[in-house]
């Protein structure tokens, strides 16, 4: 129980991590939830710097992409404690737009 609260860079946590198999490491990486871990002010500042660099890189790519070409999606911010992953907005397809139009015109299913 006390071991769970040690910082990840502690000797004990490093030794435990070094004993994991590749499969165990992969399973932990898949289940990773950084938003549930406490972060120090230093980690918060580092995440803010990473987000700023990602936005600058995205802006640079967008500025140097042809206007007719598809631009990349903006980068997602780094996940922080207490905040879940960003949910993608639903897109309206032609099929669903036509169905919505029919429903609005009184065409009940």
């Amino acid at each position: 129980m006390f071991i769970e609260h040690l910082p990840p860079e502690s000797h004990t946590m490093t030794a435990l991590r070094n004993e994991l198999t590749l499969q165990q490491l992969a399973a932990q990486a898949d289940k990773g939830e950084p938003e549930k871990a406490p972060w120090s002010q230093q980690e918060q500042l580092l995440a803010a710097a990473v987000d700023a660099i990602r936005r600058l890189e995205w802006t640079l790519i967008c500025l140097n992409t042809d206007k007719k070409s598809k631009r990349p999606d903006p980068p997602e911010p780094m996940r922080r404690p207490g905040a879940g992953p960003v949910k993608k907005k639903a897109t309206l397809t032609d099929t669903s737009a036509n169905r919505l139009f029919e429903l609005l015109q009184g065409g009940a299913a």
Side-chain angles (χ1 to χ4, degrees), residues 54 58-59 61-62 70-76 88:
R54 287 178 178 170
W58 175 75
T59 303
I61 290 169
C62 288
K70 183 182 182 317
R71 295 194 170 146
D73 293 331
E76 285 189 23
K88 302 238 180 210

Side-chain angles (χ1 to χ4, degrees), residues 9-53:
E9 66 274 4
S10 70
H11 291 290
T12 303
M13 293 303 280
T14 301
L16 289 172
R17 210 172 26 255
N18 287 343
E19 293 299 317
L20 295 175
T21 65
L22 292 177
Q23 291 81 13
Q24 290 171 322
L25 280 173
Q28 280 190 356
D30 290 340
K31 295 186 301 186
E33 296 176 315
E35 67 274 5
K36 291 186 178 177
W39 280 18
S40 68
Q41 184 178 16
Q42 180 180 359
E43 290 166 323
Q44 292 281 2
L45 291 171
L46 182 58
V50 167
D51 288 344
I53 291 169

Side-chain angles (χ1 to χ4, degrees), residues 55-65:
R55 281 191 310 272
L56 286 171
E57 179 184 33
W58 175 75
T59 303
L60 184 63
I61 290 169
C62 288
L63 287 172
N64 290 302
T65 302

